Amino acid sequence: MAALLLVMLLPAGAASAGEAESLGIRSSCQAYATLSEDVAAIVRNEARWSCGAKEYSLDAERVLLRFDIAPGETLPRYFLSRRSALEAVHLLAINSDGAIRENTIPAAALQSSMAGGYFKAPLPELTGETRQVVAVIDLPSHKMTLERAYLAPADGAGGVSDMRFALILAGLAGMLVMPLIFNAAFYRALRETFVLWHTALTFSLLATILVTSGLSVLLFDPPAMTLSWMTTVIFGMTVASGAMFTHSFVEPGRMHPWLRCALPWCAAWAIVLSVFHAAFPFVARPIQSSAYTAAFAPVLALFMLSMIDAWRRGSRAARYQAIGYLPMVVVGLIRLVTGIVPWLPSTDATLLFYAGCVCEVVFTTLGVAERFVTMKRERDRARNEAELLERLSETDALTGLLNRRAIELRFEQLRAEGFTTLAIIDLDHFKAINDVNGHSTGDEVLKAVANALQPGPSVRAYRLGGEEFVLLLRGEDAGTQAELRRQAIPAIVAHTVAGLERPVTASMGIAGLLAEEDFAALYERADKLLYEAKSGGRNRTRSAVRVVEVAQGFAGERAMSA
C-alpha cells in the first residue's frame, strides 16, 4: 500500500501543481514602500516599479506585486500565495481608464486555500476593462509569500488532479494512523519510551500533512494565519520528537554518549525556535525566516552524525531509521540551502516531504516492530533464567525434591488448594548407614527415599535437610497416602541400593491444619508426633488424623510396582 501511494503521489502532485501553474497569472513587476506611503500614488508611479526581476526582498515594510491582465483573458477571482506571517493584504483592480477598486483583508481574516499551504483573498470586482491587479502585502515575513503569489479563477487548481492529490494525501494520513494502533499494542506489552516518542512523531507527521494540505480546509477550514503558526509549531514538534525517538530507539552502546546526550538538547532547541518564531514573527522580520531556517542546521548535522555513528557501531535500529528518514533529511537540506542562499528561490519540497512520510511509516514502524520482538525475546529469556534460578534455589540438588524455602513461600497457596495435612518423615538410624557404608551410599539411600515418596496431584514431597522429609497432602485419605509411602521406603531402598546390611525404615508424624494455623505451628505439632514415633520404637507412625491400616506386604508390592 505504501509503495502504491508513493507511485501515485509524485505524478498526482506534479499534475496538481502543473494545473495551478497553467491557470494562474504570475506577477510581472514589483515595488517596495513604507506603511505610511499612499498605495495609489505608488501604483501610478512607473519609476517605482521593477519589472522582470526574479529576486524579492523583505527589507521594505510593504511589497507591491503587479499582475497584468490581457484583453479577453479569463478573469481571476482570487489572489493566492504561500502562508506566512504578515499584517494585511490590499488588493487593487485597475481599469484601462485608471479607475481603482480596492479590497483590504487583515491577516486574521485571510482564508485558507485548497492549494496546500496557501492562503486566498477574494479580488475586487474585475471587468473586461481591468488591465492590472496589484497585491500589496504589509510586513511579509517569508520570501515564498512573494515568490509563489498568483491570481487564479478558482481556489487552487480546482481540477481533477487537485482532487486526486487530496485523496492520495488522505490515504497517506490514514496510513499514519496504523502505526499509532501498533504502538498502543507494543506499549501495553513492553513499556519502552521509544514507543511513546514514535507515537508523538507519527502524530506530528499526521498533523503536518493535515495543516500543509487542502485536507485541513475540507475538514476544519481554519483561518490561514492559524494554520501558518500551527505549521511552524508542529514542525518544531516533529523535529523534537524525531530527535527523542532516535535518542531512545538506538540500542544502548550503539551510539557515542556525547551524541546521545546532544539529541535531547536538539529537541529542546527545536521547540524553543518554533514557538518563538510562531509567537514573534516580526522581531527581525527581514532576516528572521532565514535565521530560523539556518538555526536548524546544527540539529540536522547532529542527527546525521548520530545515524552514521550508530550504523557504524552495528545498530540495527539505526539502519531502519536512516533509510526511513533519508527523504526527510533531503527535505531538510533543500529547505536549509534554499532558505539561506539569497539568490535561490525558496522551496519547502512538499512533495518530497509527503514521500518521506511514506518511507517513515514503513521503515521506522518495521524498525520498532523488530526492536520490540528483540527486546521481548531478551526479556523473556531473562525471565526464564530468573525463574530457573528461582526453581533451583527451591530445589534440593541431591534428590530433586523441593526444599523448605519452597514450602514456606507457597504454603498459603497450597492451603487454599486443599493441602491441609502435613507428614514429617525421618529415616531411622541413618547416621549408621553413612558411618558403615559411606556417604555416597547414604546419598543413594536418600535418592531412593525421594523415589518412594512419589509426588502427585494430591501429594507434595520436600526434603528439609539431612534424612528429614516432609509430605503435604490433601483429600480424605491423606493420612493413608502418607502411610503407604512411609511403608514403601524399605522395599524401594532395598531394591535400589545394594550392600546395605539391614533394611532402611522411617518414622513419621502426621498432623492436620487447624483453622488459621501457619506452617510453623503445623510443623511443630507434626514434629512432636514424629518424636513420639521415634520414642515408641521407630519404624512407626503417630498421627493426629485418621490413618487406615495398611498391610506391609501390600505396601511393599505397591512400592515395587511403582
Side-chain angles (χ1 to χ4, degrees), residues 396-440:
D396 176 56
L398 178 65
T399 62
L401 297 178
L402 296 173
N403 57 23
R404 186 183 190 107
R405 181 174 184 270
I407 194 174
E408 289 178 342
L409 286 174
R410 292 174 174 77
F411 181 70
E412 293 301 323
Q413 177 185 342
L414 290 168
R415 176 165 67 176
E417 293 175 3
F419 290 89
T420 55
T421 301
L422 179 71
I424 303 177
I425 301 171
D426 192 86
L427 300 183
D428 299 326
H429 305 295
F430 181 73
K431 185 176 183 300
I433 297 174
N434 282 333
D435 293 342
V436 174
N437 300 93
H439 287 280
S440 60

Side-chain angles (χ1 to χ4, degrees), residues 475-525:
E476 295 180 359
D477 63 341
T480 303
Q481 290 297 322
E483 181 63 14
L484 279 170
R485 284 162 172 76
R486 184 192 74 81
Q487 292 188 18
I489 288 173
I492 293 242
V493 172
H495 179 73
T496 306
V497 184
L500 296 176
E501 296 180 356
R502 59 184 180 79
V504 177
T505 61
S507 302
M508 181 168 67
I510 306 176
L513 194 65
L514 299 176
E516 296 301 318
E517 192 175 36
D518 60 11
F519 173 73
L522 177 60
Y523 178 84
E524 184 178 353
R525 289 196 298 108

Side-chain angles (χ1 to χ4, degrees), residues 10-24 26 150 156-157 161-162 351:
L10 297 178
S16 178
E19 191 172 344
E21 185 78 26
S22 63
L23 293 176
R26 299 289 168 172
Y150 69 99
S161 298
D162 199 47
L351 286 179

